[in-house]
Amino acid sequence: MKFRYIIFLFLLSSQSLVAQNGKSLVELGNSRYQAGDFHGAIDAYNEAVEINPANSLAYNNRGIVKARMGNDEGAIEDFSLAIEFAPDYFPAYINRAGSKFNTEDYYGAIEDYTKAIEINPNFAPAWYGRAIAHIKIVYRVGACADLRKAFELGYEEAQELLDEYCR
């Protein structure tokens, strides 16, 4: 069975950054991203980090855009910067795990999913993502435990893989 990996991307709004036409630069970037203007979104996020080099939200969201454009290496750099400035920033760990998975760094993905689970143990997609990475490295015991936990937390998609890999 082939399964698709789903990247869980968190595009979050800023609370209050420099205003531009009534919106913060991060909000402007989010709007551009949602409109499909990826280069415009990156420009807005770049401006946001020029003004505030410790803006984890801007790095995270810029990483999301890079990942959507197929630049997972660049995305990993941005997610890492978000984590550097906010070590418990849960979305950046989830997003970096997805990009690491896409670059076939399954052990790195497992590490990031594990950190995300430590921060938020009730986020079922983190358990599911780690399970898929475990499947890729052929660690069935870990995969089955994570799939069971994801399903227990209400992530219905885990059932199919539970049936296939964890009989």
Side-chain angles (χ1 to χ4, degrees):
M1 173 193 140
K2 285 189 173 189
F3 55 85
R4 289 185 318 125
Y5 176 70
I6 301 168
I7 298 178
F8 304 100
L9 300 175
F10 292 89
L11 190 63
L12 304 174
S13 297
S14 69
Q15 293 164 354
S16 177
L17 293 175
V18 175
Q20 180 175 336
N21 295 331
K23 295 182 179 179
S24 75
L25 290 169
V26 172
E27 289 169 345
L28 177 64
N30 293 352
S31 295
R32 289 179 175 171
Y33 169 79
Q34 292 167 347
D37 178 10
F38 295 163
H39 294 287
I42 287 177
D43 289 343
Y45 298 136
N46 286 344
E47 287 184 54
V49 298
E50 283 177 24
I51 292 167
N52 177 4
N55 188 334
S56 292
L57 181 62
Y59 287 118
N60 181 70
N61 291 8
R62 188 174 70 183
I64 290 168
V65 177
K66 288 179 180 179
R68 288 285 190 218
M69 294 174 71
N71 180 4
D72 282 299
E73 293 296 335
I76 290 168
E77 290 175 16
D78 278 345
F79 299 138
S80 296
L81 285 166
I83 291 166
E84 179 182 327
F85 293 112
D88 287 332
Y89 189 43
F90 170 79
Y93 285 102
I94 293 293
N95 294 333
R96 188 172 71 176
S99 284
K100 284 182 177 181
F101 185 96
N102 288 341
T103 62
E104 299 181 2
D105 178 6
Y106 304 121
Y107 290 98
I110 289 167
E111 183 179 313
D112 282 345
Y113 282 126
T114 300
K115 180 63 178 175
I117 289 166
E118 289 172 8
I119 296 168
N120 184 355
N122 294 317
F123 188 68
W127 293 93
Y128 183 79
R130 191 171 74 173
I132 293 173
H134 279 142
I135 289 169
K136 287 294 203 176
I137 64 167
V138 193
Y139 179 48
R140 190 174 295 242
V141 172
C144 292
D146 287 350
L147 287 168
R148 284 185 191 94
K149 184 65 175 179
F151 186 73
E152 174 187 310
L153 291 171
Y155 201 74
E156 300 295 324
E157 292 86 347
Q159 184 63 57
E160 184 179 345
L161 292 178
L162 272 168
D163 292 344
E164 184 171 343
Y165 291 97
C166 308
R167 296 181 186 163

